[in-house]
Amino acid sequence: ILKAVAAAALATTIGLAASPSFAQDKKFTIALIPGLTTDGFYITMRKGAQAAADALGVELVFQGAPEFNPVVQVPVLDAIIARAPDAILIAPTDTTQLVEPLRKANEAGIPVITVDTFIGSGVYQTGAGDADFPLSYIASDNILGGRIAARALANAIGGEGKVFVSNVNPGISTTDQREEGFKLEMSENFPNIEVLETQFNKNDANNAASQLQAVFARNADLKGVFGANLFSALGSANGVQQAGQSGTIKVVAFDAPVSIVDNINSGLVDVAIAQHPAEIGYYGVVSAFAHLTGQSIPVSIGTGFTIMDKANIADPEIAKYLYNE
Ligand code: T6T
């Protein structure tokens, strides 16, 4: 018997040595469902996810809806569940409306990891809430991001005057937290700044542009705007330009599509806060793979920011964080 065990051990050793170090008998399929497909943020996330999938010999399926909206995201999720992938990475488009649809995946035995956005409170695996079943949450620290935006805007307007937040829709974890962080920072540290009512643009840059002009029409002394995601920021900047207020009404942008470079160089946008979506995608796939191969994984992974302005945007170490299109 001992001989047989030794032979088996030897075979295993030889088998391992002869194959690439991470080779798996089974090729895992990991699905990535973005908030929407036509957004440089998620396109860049996919690139990072694909890099990890290639490194680990995993098949990555990227499937999403053309709009950031739970009504169109849930059918995509259902279709993915029907394909029974080994794991699902998803940016849920609503903190509550995706709970039950994702529970179906969990109950079907498909591990769920949320990337960028979360469901419930975003605190998972505590045994407490009924939305704590995802294994991990991999994302930017969006409250901190909102605080950084507030400091940048306060600085740009000299610490006083009226500003507002251009936001997507209530109920999205990321943009809710950015607004929360922005308002906390303003109320704690900038008593001479008045934050006007938030304008919700439904992730439509055209809405954001007309809302900017409507707020300016009601407040001729408007000093600045915080665009809380890519479309909010681009639209707000367009609105400022259309109102002939470029450089006068200051714009702080969350997210960093390539088109932000011209806006920074022209002075239309003061600061852009780039997230690191490729990292989110990369570590999403790595975490799913680790779980599938029997490793324990962190319940949350925080990725960083790169702050872009006129002084640093030409630096390749900064510009490499611009999003892919
Ligand atoms: O800001 C990102 C993402 O973090 C957010 O959840 C939704 O909007 C973006 O995709 C940018 O459009």
Side-chain angles (χ1 to χ4, degrees), residues 8-259:
L10 188 64
T12 312
T13 312
I14 291 167
L16 274 178
S19 55
S21 42
F22 294 112
Q24 287 294 312
D25 291 343
K26 176 174 162 42
K27 186 172 170 100
F28 293 114
T29 299
I30 297 175
L32 170 57
I33 305 175
L36 73 164
T37 48
T38 54
D39 176 336
F41 174 84
Y42 295 111
I43 293 169
T44 310
M45 182 188 290
R46 177 189 191 173
K47 222 180 144 205
Q50 190 63 58
D54 292 347
L56 297 169
V58 162
E59 187 189 346
L60 181 74
V61 174
F62 180 82
Q63 204 173 318
E67 275 173 55
F68 195 98
N69 182 340
V71 174
V72 286
Q73 189 181 40
V74 169
V76 173
L77 172 60
D78 286 342
I80 288 286
I81 294 172
R83 285 178 65 171
D86 295 294
I88 292 177
L89 307 175
I90 183 169
T93 46
D94 190 280
T95 48
T96 53
Q97 293 183 57
L98 266 293
V99 174
E100 292 314 316
L102 278 172
R103 194 189 309 288
K104 281 197 250 164
N106 188 53
E107 283 171 359
I110 306 170
V112 174
I113 291 175
T114 74
V115 286
D116 177 45
T117 44
F118 59 70
I119 54 169
S121 66
V123 182
Y124 299 152
Q125 299 292 314
T126 60
D130 67 348
D132 79 328
F133 56 83
L135 297 176
S136 187
Y137 171 51
I138 304 170
S140 307
D141 178 340
N142 287 291
I143 297 210
L144 174 65
R147 284 187 179 271
I148 293 171
R151 291 199 284 268
L153 191 56
N155 189 36
I157 66 171
E160 57 182 16
K162 293 179 182 168
V163 302
F164 77 98
V165 182
S166 175
N167 213 338
V168 180
N169 266 329
I172 304 167
S173 69
T174 45
T175 48
D176 282 355
Q177 287 194 324
R178 288 170 204 161
E179 180 175 335
E180 186 187 339
F182 182 87
K183 288 182 170 166
L184 281 172
E185 185 69 23
M186 288 303 194
S187 67
E188 286 169 14
N189 295 317
F190 299 100
N192 299 325
I193 293 179
E194 184 187 348
V195 182
L196 302 172
E197 200 186 332
T198 296
Q199 303 295 306
F200 290 104
N201 56 51
K202 300 187 159 58
N203 218 27
D204 181 332
N206 291 328
N207 288 343
S210 33
Q211 287 168 344
L212 182 290
Q213 293 180 72
V215 173
F216 178 52
R218 295 194 293 272
N219 301 272
D221 52 351
L222 180 69
K223 289 282 187 59
V225 58
F226 167 40
N229 85 331
L230 193 151
F231 301 100
S232 309
L234 281 185
S236 298
N238 288 343
V240 167
Q241 192 160 41
Q242 286 154 13
Q245 298 298 308
S246 181
T248 308
I249 298 177
K250 304 293 184 182
V251 180
V252 168
F254 218 86
D255 292 311
V258 170
S259 59

